Amino acid sequence: MTALAPSLQAFFTDRLIGQRAASPNTISAYKTTFRLLLGFASEWTGTAPSSLDIADIDATLVAAFLDHLETVRHNTPRTRNNRLAAIHSLFAYLALHHPDHAGTIQRVLAIPAKHTQRNLLTYLLEPEVDALLQACDQSTWTGRRDHAMFALTIQTGVRISELAGLTCGDVTLTAGANVHTIGKGRKERRTPLVPTTRAILKAWMTERAGGPTDPLFPTTTGKQLSRDAIEKRLAQTVTRAGDCCPSIQTKRVTMHTLRHTAAMRLLLAGNDITVI
């Protein structure tokens, strides 16, 4: 067995889980990065993934892999940089445990991130928020689910990963109504619910009739909605909202847009930016 396989396993168990207490989303993203990298390296070197060694994953191969992400997989520079950050994290770990590969490791760590253009974040105005929520077809079960899901996001600003992971037990509708989330870095918080959102969630959860550990916003089969599925539902709703609100069609609306909308609502209401 080469040194790469046990080192990669130890990186996940000791470094990510044991030392950094990385979130499931971070672990999943790193796992995807290394699955893609090892698959590419296997084709590049003609070596089975289980037989690859640290020396095989050199700076030349990593640079070719990053180019492959952009030219073949059509990943954005931001995604490319995220993959590179995961590789850098692994190689920084390897540097402590395999000084015999110091030269290879140093050259990989020297690969720079690509400069990216930071796009101006947009947000929805109140008429656009109303149009989006009204575009949810509340004559259907999925439409009522989407309406509650988007209303909650717009009011609380939860991340899409937090939204997808919400269970029925995370919502408190009695005195001090709030939603409980665990965000980046396993930061735990409870966000108060305004009466309107509380009423929407109360109606939804009565219909949902799920147990405390069941997904708050499930698929039609009762499983947890994926982030891709949530974004797809939002895109479909935005298209319908454009029929009565043309301005929403001029914006690229994602779940992060709804999160930014929640922040802008708080700012425009006079809340301090540091609190937001």
Side-chain angles (χ1 to χ4, degrees):
M1 179 183 294
T2 67
L4 181 61
S7 296
L8 186 57
Q9 181 176 348
F11 172 71
F12 275 92
T13 57
D14 298 342
R15 177 63 172 161
L16 292 183
I17 299 175
Q19 298 175 15
R20 292 181 54 187
S23 70
N25 289 325
T26 298
I27 293 172
S28 177
Y30 275 44
K31 182 172 69 174
T32 300
T33 294
F34 297 125
R35 177 177 58 80
L36 293 172
L37 175 62
L38 293 179
F40 178 84
S42 178
E43 293 184 6
W44 178 275
T45 62
T47 305
S50 59
S51 300
L52 289 168
D53 204 351
I54 295 173
D56 295 320
I57 315 296
D58 57 15
T60 301
L61 186 146
V62 172
F65 169 67
L66 296 174
D67 288 339
H68 167 79
L69 292 178
E70 291 192 83
T71 58
V72 177
R73 294 183 61 84
H74 304 295
N75 290 165
T76 65
R78 189 176 300 278
T79 299
R80 175 227 189 246
N81 288 345
N82 289 338
R83 302 295 186 208
L84 178 59
I87 295 170
H88 277 171
S89 183
L90 169 64
F91 274 72
Y93 175 81
L94 294 177
L96 299 174
H97 299 277
H98 295 281
D100 48 319
H101 291 284
T104 297
I105 293 170
Q106 184 178 23
R107 286 187 287 273
V108 170
L109 290 175
I111 298 175
K114 177 171 284 189
H115 290 293
T116 60
Q117 180 180 352
R118 190 174 182 85
N119 295 325
L120 182 65
L121 289 176
T122 189
Y123 65 96
L124 299 184
L125 302 175
E126 290 306 315
E128 295 166 342
V129 168
D130 293 340
L132 176 68
L133 295 179
Q134 290 170 7
C136 298
D137 184 2
Q138 295 192 58
S139 66
T140 66
W141 183 89
T142 54
R144 292 189 292 273
R145 177 201 63 194
D146 294 349
H147 180 263
M149 183 166 61
F150 299 149
L152 176 65
T153 305
I154 291 168
Q155 191 247 291
T156 63
V158 294
R159 294 182 175 88
I160 186 172
S161 57
E162 298 167 351
L163 184 70
L166 284 177
T167 65
C168 294
D170 287 325
V171 179
T172 299
L173 296 177
T174 53
N178 67 84
V179 60
H180 169 258
T181 54
I182 299 177
K184 284 187 176 181
R186 297 188 181 275
K187 292 181 180 178
E188 190 173 359
R189 72 181 187 275
R190 289 187 179 273
T191 306
L193 298 174
V194 300
T196 303
T197 307
R198 177 181 176 275
I200 293 172
L201 285 178
K202 184 177 181 179
W204 166 246
M205 292 182 69
T206 299
E207 178 177 6
R208 167 76 180 89
T213 60
D214 292 332
L216 179 61
F217 301 115
T219 64
T220 53
T221 59
K223 297 179 180 179
Q224 178 179 302
L225 274 173
S226 68
R227 286 180 287 181
D228 286 344
I230 293 173
E231 290 285 12
K232 183 177 180 180
R233 295 297 299 182
L234 176 61
Q236 293 171 346
T237 306
V238 168
T239 298
R240 292 195 298 271
D243 294 338
C244 62
C245 184
S247 65
I248 202 172
Q249 295 179 320
T250 65
K251 299 179 177 180
R252 181 176 179 269
V253 181
T254 66
M255 290 301 293
H256 192 71
T257 306
L258 304 191
R259 174 172 164 80
H260 194 56
T261 299
M264 287 302 298
R265 278 178 149 191
L266 292 172
L267 184 63
L268 293 173
N271 292 278
D272 187 89
I273 186 65
T274 57
V275 176
I276 297 173

